[in-house]
Amino acid sequence: MHDQPQPAPPTAPDLFTWEFASNPYPAYAWLRDHAPVHRTTLPSGVEAWLVTRYADARQALADQRLSKNPAHHDEPAHAKGKTGIPGERKAELMTHLLNIDPPDHTRLRRLVSKAFTPRRVAEFAPRVQELTDQLIDAFLDKPEEQGTADLIHEFAFPLPIYAICDLLGVPREDQDDFRDWAGMMIRHGGGPRGGVARSVKKMRGYLAELIHRKRSDPGDDLISGLIRASDHGEHLTENEAAAMAFILLFAGFETTVNLIGNGTYALLTHPDQRARLQQSLAAGDTGLLETGVEELLRFDGPVELATWRFATEPLRIGGQDIAAGDPVLVVLAAADRDPARFPDPDLLDLSRTDNQHLGYGHGIHYCLGAPLARLEGQTALATLLRRLPDLQLAVDPEELRWRGGLIMRGLRTLPVTFTPPAR
Ligand code: HEM
């Protein structure tokens, strides 16, 4: 009876419900099978195409006819400014890599790549390890509720914020301000309203002042590197520099929080895989950690949908006609579970090697921070498992709540228990 193919349900599953936020994968499987390029109405009221198959997703991410500039959005007049599409208000900080096309994108990306070198990231490894250990020490030293922690708020959330601040050259004494502003942005989903708008404004003011200071007193940090790069012939306005610092914070922050959060959750709910990883780490082997973090990104990555793209001319994706001006959202989480690309896609296999996942995107907007994200993800997970070997979820997985945002996928909280190590 179970071998009989089930007839397809007549209509597409409900998207963007709480149930969908907890586990969107069955709905994505349906879309891949029945409506791989699917027009939907988003909670904001905007209509957009969702691309769910791996081959179509990869092609769309590399298609230069899909612009990142929101000016190409053919928005109905009544919805102007209300769609929630970042950048539509042309705020200064919004003129950044993820909202622009070549040639501006090529120029800005070249500048930031010069300052954001693999060498700089590699040199940063001891600092990431130190931050990781300090955050674990802090929740081990709590006088109350010994042996418990919320790994999102006490660990995954502060780690990337301090790491990026250090990298940019934000002085240590100012980093807690960033933690507060970022907290406001993550709690309220990043829309340009109320407390979020105030946080963005404060961040902008702070960054403008910092850039000004670094111009006369440069250091060995990323912002000084950006200023140096722009002073060597290529032009970077102060606005562009502030927008660049902002996108590095913004793109590198919630994503890494969710890599650590989703990754830890996946390990805690797959005890066989977690045991394999603990054994290989105990034997001093980091091979499984490296393939494992890539697999965690494929299996339940932080970026569920790639950022907005807009058709600049009529085009076809996966046999579907798309009109000029239409928004296109590539569903990375669906593409990365496509059985046409990944054998047993719903299986978590930390040793998977043929794993060209789209968790960091593809094409000219491929994640600039991937080396830093890998460093932070690997350090955080390995250190947690080493220092807290009996780490367990403190609640039933059903009780966990996932954030309901459109682009990111991540947990609101991750309560855990462990035996505090003797110190
Ligand atoms: C696990 C963590 C991360 C994930 C999963 C991730 C994922 C992504 C994805 C999917 C994109 C492409 C979006 C698109 O094409 O629509 C992207 C772009 C980008 N990411 Fe990351 N990211 C992570 C961490 C970071 C970090 C740590 C930084 C920097 C500090 C960073 C900086 C950027 C920037 C600047 C872009 C825009 C690149 C461009 O438009 O040329 N990301 N990231």
Side-chain angles (χ1 to χ4, degrees), residues 61 68 97-98 105 109 116 164 247-248 251-252 255-256 259 297 302-303 306-307 309 332 358-361 364-370 372-373 376:
L61 290 171
K68 299 290 296 134
L97 289 177
L98 279 172
H105 175 268
R109 176 131 181 165
F116 201 80
I164 299 170
I247 183 64
L248 288 173
T255 46
T256 312
L259 167 61
L297 279 160
V303 185
T307 53
R309 284 169 166 74
L332 305 178
L358 299 178
Y360 287 122
I364 62 168
H365 293 279
Y366 179 82
C367 180
L368 185 77
L372 177 61
E376 291 182 62

Side-chain angles (χ1 to χ4, degrees), residues 184-384:
M184 184 65 95
M185 286 160 63
I186 202 174
R187 269 195 302 279
H188 298 281
R193 289 180 305 276
V196 179
R198 269 195 303 280
S199 297
V200 171
K201 202 169 160 198
K202 283 189 187 149
M203 223 182 242
R204 186 182 63 198
Y206 180 88
L207 288 172
E209 203 189 296
L210 187 66
I211 288 165
H212 207 70
R213 254 191 287 152
K214 299 269 177 196
R215 213 178 261 288
S216 49
D217 184 18
D220 185 29
D221 52 67
L222 189 67
I223 292 189
S224 304
L226 277 176
I227 295 171
R228 256 196 303 277
S230 65
D231 287 346
H232 281 99
E234 279 169 291
H235 190 60
L236 186 78
T237 64
E238 291 219 345
N239 260 345
E240 284 172 336
M244 185 72 86
F246 179 77
I247 183 64
L248 288 173
L249 271 161
F250 195 71
F253 163 54
E254 196 174 348
T255 46
T256 312
V257 176
N258 294 337
L259 167 61
I260 299 170
N262 300 3
T264 308
Y265 170 71
L267 290 175
L268 295 183
T269 48
H270 293 80
D272 54 330
Q273 294 294 313
R274 174 247 183 99
R276 275 180 79 189
L277 183 56
Q278 269 174 313
Q279 277 158 18
S280 81
L281 289 171
D285 179 3
T286 53
L288 194 64
L289 178 66
E290 285 160 23
T291 55
V293 166
E294 298 311 303
E295 174 68 346
L296 292 167
L297 279 160
R298 181 198 70 81
F299 182 75
D300 202 11
V303 185
E304 186 167 338
L305 277 71
T307 53
W308 295 89
R309 284 169 166 74
F310 307 95
T312 54
E313 57 184 86
L315 51 96
R316 269 170 98 75
I317 303 176
Q320 173 66 54
D321 288 322
I322 311 271
D326 277 3
V328 173
L329 289 166
V330 177
V331 189
L332 305 178
D336 279 344
R337 297 260 192 133
D338 187 341
R341 174 61 185 81
F342 300 102
D344 285 327
D346 295 323
L347 188 83
L348 178 72
D349 174 5
L350 299 183
S351 58
R352 197 184 283 268
T353 45
D354 179 19
N355 194 359
Q356 263 203 339
H357 63 77
L358 299 178
Y360 287 122
H362 173 64
I364 62 168
H365 293 279
Y366 179 82
C367 180
L368 185 77
L372 177 61
R374 289 192 175 106
L375 171 67
E376 291 182 62
Q378 291 176 13
T379 309
L381 294 177
T383 311
L384 270 183

Side-chain angles (χ1 to χ4, degrees), residues 154-181:
E154 294 174 72
F155 186 63
F157 170 75
L159 179 61
I161 253 307
Y162 291 133
I164 299 170
C165 281
D166 264 4
L167 199 78
L168 287 175
V170 175
R172 298 261 161 95
E173 62 272 19
D174 297 341
Q175 294 189 358
D176 282 329
D177 288 339
F178 268 85
R179 188 178 166 162
D180 293 346
W181 299 330

Side-chain angles (χ1 to χ4, degrees), residues 47-239:
E47 289 195 20
W49 294 98
L50 299 181
V51 179
T52 47
R53 286 186 181 164
Y54 182 90
D56 295 340
R58 212 173 140 86
Q59 185 206 321
L61 290 171
D63 191 332
Q64 304 260 338
R65 294 170 303 170
L66 288 172
S67 165
K68 299 290 296 134
N69 183 346
H72 286 288
H73 182 203
D74 189 8
E75 216 181 336
H78 67 268
K80 281 260 182 264
K82 296 179 194 155
T83 58
I85 295 178
E88 63 186 348
R89 289 165 185 236
K90 300 199 173 44
E92 287 154 12
L93 289 183
M94 292 302 168
T95 317
H96 59 59
L97 289 177
L98 279 172
N99 281 342
I100 54 174
D101 298 321
D104 280 344
H105 175 268
T106 322
R107 177 177 62 90
L108 287 182
R109 176 131 181 165
R110 196 183 314 128
L111 276 176
V112 76
S113 307
K114 267 190 206 164
F116 201 80
T117 55
R119 182 186 61 86
R120 183 183 293 277
V121 173
E123 282 172 2
F124 205 50
R127 176 66 184 144
V128 171
Q129 184 64 60
E130 183 187 33
L131 277 170
T132 306
D133 280 317
Q134 282 170 355
L135 291 168
I136 296 179
D137 289 344
F139 66 70
L140 287 179
D141 285 345
K142 274 190 307 194
E144 293 149 27
E145 298 175 29
Q146 282 273 311
T148 67
D150 170 6
L151 285 186
I152 298 295
H153 290 100
E154 294 174 72
F155 186 63
F157 170 75
L159 179 61
I161 253 307
Y162 291 133
I164 299 170
C165 281
D166 264 4
L167 199 78
L168 287 175
V170 175
R172 298 261 161 95
E173 62 272 19
D174 297 341
Q175 294 189 358
D176 282 329
D177 288 339
F178 268 85
R179 188 178 166 162
D180 293 346
W181 299 330
M184 184 65 95
M185 286 160 63
I186 202 174
R187 269 195 302 279
H188 298 281
R193 289 180 305 276
V196 179
R198 269 195 303 280
S199 297
V200 171
K201 202 169 160 198
K202 283 189 187 149
M203 223 182 242
R204 186 182 63 198
Y206 180 88
L207 288 172
E209 203 189 296
L210 187 66
I211 288 165
H212 207 70
R213 254 191 287 152
K214 299 269 177 196
R215 213 178 261 288
S216 49
D217 184 18
D220 185 29
D221 52 67
L222 189 67
I223 292 189
S224 304
L226 277 176
I227 295 171
R228 256 196 303 277
S230 65
D231 287 346
H232 281 99
E234 279 169 291
H235 190 60
L236 186 78
T237 64
E238 291 219 345
N239 260 345

